[in-house]
Amino acid sequence: MSGKKKFIRDSVYGDINLSEFEVKVMDMPQFQRLRRIKQLGLISLIYPGATHTRFEHCLGTMNLGSKLAEELELDQDDVELIRISALLHDIGHGPFSHVSEGVLSFPHEELTRYVVTQTSMRDLLEEKFNVNEIADIINGKGHLGPIVSGELDVDRMDYLLRDSHNTGVSYGIIDYERIISNLKLEDGLILDIKGVQAAEGALVSRYFMYPSVYQHHTTRIVNSMFRRALQKTFDEKIIDEHEIYRYDDSDITSMFRNSENEYVRDIMFRLDNRIIPKRVKTIRLDNFKYPEKMYKIKAEELRKAEAEIAEDYDLDKDYVFINIAEYPRFDEMKTQVNVDGKLYPLTEISNIIGALSKARFNIPDISVYVPEDEKYKFDKLKLENYLELPEIDREKFHGIHYDQIKLF
């Protein structure tokens, strides 16, 4: 990197060096806003230490992107392009990160492209870079795209390390240096066979972070509460979803607390005071013969079922929540591995990854949540009376539990 360097102390990696130009970019209001966006949204209600921000994550992603670019022996211009793209990769995130994104009709990457190419950030970036190249890399496009947004990218590596560090959940500790030193850039990032064990560790880490942190049952209900309130704010035209990138966590929190909408105010009061609905019905997706079918249930069907449950049990429909855990994608399983000059998917090389691929539906579930003081009404709730659920696989269900019993 050219120019005078500055160092910033990071809680995960120690000192991260910055060029003068990168400091200028970070000093822009669009980037400073990320200091006020929690990386894990509302998860601090479950893990009090999870108050780290998108600002920190972007710095960490830049740090790993730089290490990987140098390991790949890219020229200096490409190293700097990767650094700035990684630094800006989440600049379009809305308040509370992925929590608000769950209400948007488009992914946050579209807002990131807009901020990079259409706001005052563009004027600064164009002093050194082509903003469209930056936007493409952030979206995983082109030769360099997989470094920042791919199957085994630096974004995932950083958030696993950082989220683990701040939540105190040890599952996310990964050997990122071993992974980085065994990646090559060809038609995408290719992992050398010597890096498979480290990649296995990363996949296992994310597999366990999924139910422990990202899709913890309390995480899911507080996210659902916030999203329902935000949707009402969108519906009432108080906020334009296309301008959500302008707001930070405190903006939305204050707006909710002072909303003219009684429901929005009440939801914020409940979140402020951790008055959280409780589960009254849970069905694990591995109970079904074809668990993938659960993800074909439309949002309208869930809302209709919530309204019918509310009517039958004499509740306000806005306080009944049916939530299906997010689809366990684990894209890293698609990573290509170089074995003696031939490429194979990671799932074929590693028995562990193959097993994880089959086990991905062991943890997700569909759950019904209601206010705690209404929970007593729901001893005999049958969800199948309100939703068309896939067929139960009774043999598979008993087989899984028999295998688990043998472990003890």
Side-chain angles (χ1 to χ4, degrees):
M1 293 186 301
S2 59
K4 184 179 178 181
K5 295 180 183 178
K6 178 179 179 179
F7 291 88
I8 189 166
R9 173 67 69 164
D10 179 66
S11 63
V12 175
Y13 309 110
D15 285 342
I16 295 177
N17 61 307
L18 300 163
S19 69
E20 285 186 353
F21 186 80
E22 288 163 353
V23 172
K24 287 182 182 178
V25 171
M26 289 174 60
D27 283 344
M28 291 288 285
Q30 293 94 330
F31 195 87
Q32 288 296 311
R33 183 186 70 96
L34 299 182
R35 290 184 183 273
R36 306 184 298 278
I37 305 289
K38 288 190 180 72
Q39 167 80 3
L40 289 180
L42 297 160
I43 289 180
S44 60
L45 288 171
I46 299 95
Y47 295 100
T51 56
H52 55 302
T53 65
R54 285 282 152 182
F55 183 95
E56 298 166 62
H57 167 58
C58 286
L59 271 174
T61 303
M62 181 194 71
N63 181 57
L64 293 186
S66 184
K67 288 180 183 294
L68 179 52
E70 290 170 2
E71 181 69 33
L72 296 172
E73 298 181 341
L74 301 182
D75 63 42
Q76 190 60 33
D77 287 344
D78 282 346
V79 171
E80 292 184 8
L81 180 58
I82 287 296
R83 284 178 63 90
I84 204 70
S85 300
L87 185 65
L88 297 173
H89 81 282
D90 274 347
I91 201 167
H93 256 300
F96 296 101
S97 297
H98 289 289
V99 187
S100 61
E101 186 178 14
V103 186
L104 303 180
S105 58
F106 46 84
H108 77 273
E109 287 85 358
E110 287 190 22
L111 291 178
T112 293
R113 176 178 284 275
Y114 181 84
V115 173
V116 168
T117 64
Q118 302 296 325
T119 70
S120 58
M121 179 66 77
R122 174 178 185 145
D123 298 333
L124 175 58
L125 293 174
E126 285 191 328
E127 293 179 14
K128 285 197 67 172
F129 301 101
N130 180 319
V131 292
N132 290 312
E133 286 185 356
I134 294 173
D136 284 345
I137 290 171
I138 290 171
N139 284 281
K141 297 178 181 179
H143 182 59
L144 300 177
I147 295 174
V148 176
S149 181
E151 290 153 359
L152 198 60
D153 58 39
V154 293
D155 176 22
R156 280 186 176 88
M157 291 185 215
D158 181 78
Y159 75 61
L160 278 173
L161 287 163
R162 193 168 300 279
D163 295 347
S164 172
H165 175 78
N166 285 279
T167 58
V169 175
S170 60
Y171 298 128
I173 298 172
I174 64 173
D175 189 354
Y176 71 91
E177 291 178 326
R178 181 73 172 176
I179 295 173
I180 285 175
S181 65
N182 282 285
L183 286 172
K184 299 295 180 186
L185 185 61
E186 296 174 9
D187 184 15
L189 283 174
I190 308 299
L191 182 68
D192 188 82
I193 186 67
K194 291 183 292 184
V196 166
Q197 189 173 14
E200 287 174 337
L203 262 293
V204 170
S205 293
R206 199 149 83 87
Y207 178 81
F208 286 115
M209 287 287 281
Y210 179 92
S212 300
V213 179
Y214 305 130
Q215 290 296 296
H216 185 281
H217 65 89
T218 308
T219 298
R220 287 159 51 201
I221 182 56
V222 295
N223 288 354
S224 296
M225 293 167 69
F226 179 90
R227 286 167 177 163
R228 191 163 291 183
L230 184 60
Q231 184 62 62
K232 290 185 181 294
T233 307
F234 286 167
D235 293 343
E236 294 174 359
K237 311 296 183 186
I238 296 171
I239 299 175
D240 182 342
E241 66 171 335
H242 293 91
E243 296 189 348
I244 196 72
Y245 69 91
R246 297 177 181 271
Y247 299 88
D248 60 33
D249 294 0
S250 58
D251 291 329
I252 297 299
T253 298
S254 177
M255 193 175 295
F256 280 12
R257 286 175 183 154
N258 297 286
S259 174
E260 294 182 2
N261 185 302
E262 183 179 351
Y263 177 78
V264 173
R265 287 200 315 275
D266 184 57
I267 287 295
M268 195 65 243
F269 174 82
R270 290 168 182 264
L271 290 172
D272 279 340
N273 294 282
R274 209 178 184 280
I275 304 171
I276 299 172
K278 302 300 181 182
R279 289 186 294 180
V280 293
K281 184 71 176 181
T282 297
I283 306 174
R284 275 180 27 183
L285 301 195
D286 67 345
N287 288 353
F288 301 114
K289 274 190 176 181
Y290 305 104
E292 297 92 339
K293 287 186 177 181
M294 288 299 297
Y295 295 95
K296 294 182 180 180
I297 297 176
K298 297 179 181 178
E300 296 78 19
E301 296 175 62
L302 295 177
R303 301 295 83 79
K304 181 173 180 288
E306 289 169 347
E308 291 174 352
I309 290 172
E311 184 176 357
D312 288 349
Y313 288 86
D314 192 26
L315 272 71
D316 184 329
K317 66 180 181 179
D318 283 335
Y319 290 89
V320 177
F321 301 85
I322 300 177
N323 180 274
I324 303 173
E326 289 181 6
Y327 188 90
R329 291 176 57 192
F330 304 118
D331 288 340
E332 299 96 321
M333 294 178 182
K334 303 173 186 175
T335 299
Q336 296 292 302
V337 180
N338 185 340
V339 183
D340 297 328
K342 294 183 179 180
L343 299 182
Y344 301 89
L346 186 56
T347 47
E348 291 185 16
I349 297 299
S350 167
N351 289 333
I352 292 175
I353 302 305
L356 283 182
S357 181
K358 294 177 182 178
R360 68 172 70 194
F361 293 108
N362 286 4
I363 298 171
D365 63 58
I366 178 171
S367 291
V368 181
Y369 300 81
V370 301
E372 186 172 11
D373 57 357
E374 302 285 355
K375 185 178 177 180
Y376 71 95
K377 299 179 180 179
F378 288 85
D379 287 343
K380 299 180 180 179
L381 175 67
K382 292 186 177 180
L383 190 54
E384 59 270 25
N385 292 343
Y386 301 94
L387 277 174
E388 186 175 343
L389 301 175
E391 180 184 356
I392 294 288
D393 187 345
R394 300 191 183 281
E395 290 184 10
K396 180 178 176 183
F397 176 77
H398 290 302
I400 288 170
H401 284 269
Y402 177 70
D403 288 344
Q404 288 176 339
I405 289 168
K406 289 193 296 184
L407 294 176
F408 297 98

